[in-house]
Amino acid sequence: LLCPAGRVHHSAAVVGNQMFVHGGFDGVEHLNDLWALDLEAWRWSRVSTVGPMPPPSSEHAWTQIGNSLVRSGDTHPSQQVQVHALDLDTLCWREVQGPPSPMQRSSHTAIALGPCLALIGGWEGKTVATDVMTCNIETGEWSKATVDEDRGDIIPRASRSCAESCGSFVAFGYAIPVFVPPE
């Protein structure tokens, strides 16, 4: 039976009748493989891609924007955020080019807001972020999003889920910053 190795801190996204699983940590090393689960036949297949594949990683985010799956963040929050897009028609990876990201990020949540990727919270090296940053995946431009303070403050959050509805996002769960992740 063909299936991906066990892992933690991977990313998953459902597109049509497939769930794509990417990267993670298997207890020994960080991974950068890509798998698809056919949700009708319940069969796994390893996905072959072309182009410059992103480096092995865990604690990144995986979000569908248009016909691409977009990966953001890295295992090591001491590095600036890298953004890579996988075109679902050609299965070709590309790195989103633009000015360097203004922050570090891992264990964040990412959602699509039009052509932009919104990164919410996450580890920033030694602290947990309280902001929402956006990256236009067409231009690579980064900006800080304005948050509606009437709907609640963004408390430091990492390792949680988020969903978009009617132009707003709702986050649930969080990790309280009680330890400093290794650099």
Side-chain angles (χ1 to χ4, degrees):
L1 179 65
L2 181 66
C3 65
R7 61 194 67 209
V8 296
H9 304 297
H10 56 283
S11 54
V14 173
V15 178
N17 69 343
Q18 294 188 86
M19 179 176 71
F20 292 90
V21 174
H22 175 64
F25 182 70
D26 67 3
V28 176
E29 63 183 340
H30 296 282
L31 307 169
N32 71 343
D33 55 349
L34 178 60
W35 291 82
L37 174 64
D38 182 312
L39 297 173
E40 294 172 0
W42 290 102
R43 285 195 195 106
W44 286 101
S45 59
R46 186 159 183 160
V47 180
S48 295
T49 61
V50 296
M53 191 170 216
S57 182
S58 62
E59 302 181 44
H60 53 271
W62 187 241
T63 307
Q64 182 178 5
I65 298 180
N67 200 42
S68 293
L69 284 173
V70 180
R71 183 185 117 166
S72 60
D74 201 335
T75 307
H76 307 289
S78 61
Q79 300 175 8
Q80 298 307 100
V81 172
Q82 295 180 351
V83 179
H84 294 83
L86 176 67
D87 184 296
L88 293 170
D89 287 330
T90 63
L91 295 176
C92 182
W93 285 102
R94 72 174 175 87
E95 185 172 1
V96 175
Q97 299 291 327
S101 68
M103 76 295 188
Q104 309 160 339
R105 210 52 61 96
S106 71
S107 295
H108 58 287
T109 298
I111 60 171
L113 295 175
C116 293
L117 176 70
L119 277 61
I120 303 145
W123 286 107
E124 276 188 316
K126 297 182 181 181
T127 61
V128 177
T130 60
D131 60 3
V132 177
M133 299 297 296
T134 63
C135 177
N136 184 310
I137 67 160
E138 295 167 1
T139 65
E141 295 287 327
W142 285 92
S143 62
K144 187 170 184 172
T146 303
V147 177
D148 183 351
E149 293 180 14
D150 292 336
R151 299 206 181 195
D153 293 333
I154 296 181
I155 62 172
R157 293 178 181 259
S159 303
R160 77 201 158 302
S161 296
C162 184
E164 182 271 336
S165 176
C166 301
S168 295
F169 66 86
V170 179
F172 179 77
Y174 61 94
I176 299 171
V178 294
F179 71 97
V180 176
E183 293 191 30

